Amino acid sequence: MAEYGGCRACRHWFHDVYINEMPTCRAFPEGIPLIIFVGKEHTKPLPDQDNTIVYEPAEKPFWLTE
């Protein structure tokens, strides 16, 4: 697996969708848990996660695609 790049470098991150000021992604559509967003690796599903989606590197980070 590629080096962990955090939420902003993940292909599942919705860089323009926020719920109650929390960033969202396919794994956490109601808001990414703060512990994940600030840097805890999300390479395995969390015990209480509703799905099995985890970090996958984006082909191109969003800031390079705009």
Side-chain angles (χ1 to χ4, degrees):
M1 176 182 266
E3 184 176 324
Y4 184 74
C7 292
R8 292 180 178 103
C10 182
R11 69 183 292 262
H12 301 294
W13 187 45
F14 301 139
H15 68 89
D16 57 353
V17 180
Y18 290 77
I19 303 290
N20 295 324
E21 299 184 26
M22 293 297 297
T24 62
C25 66
R26 285 184 183 91
F28 302 105
E30 299 300 317
I32 300 169
L34 189 56
I35 193 164
I36 298 294
F37 193 72
V38 299
K40 180 179 190 264
E41 285 195 19
H42 187 225
T43 54
K44 294 182 180 174
L46 297 180
D48 58 345
Q49 189 174 328
D50 293 337
N51 55 58
T52 59
I53 299 169
V54 295
Y55 173 82
E56 291 180 57
E59 191 171 309
K60 271 189 175 180
F62 82 93
W63 58 88
L64 296 177
T65 59
E66 296 180 339

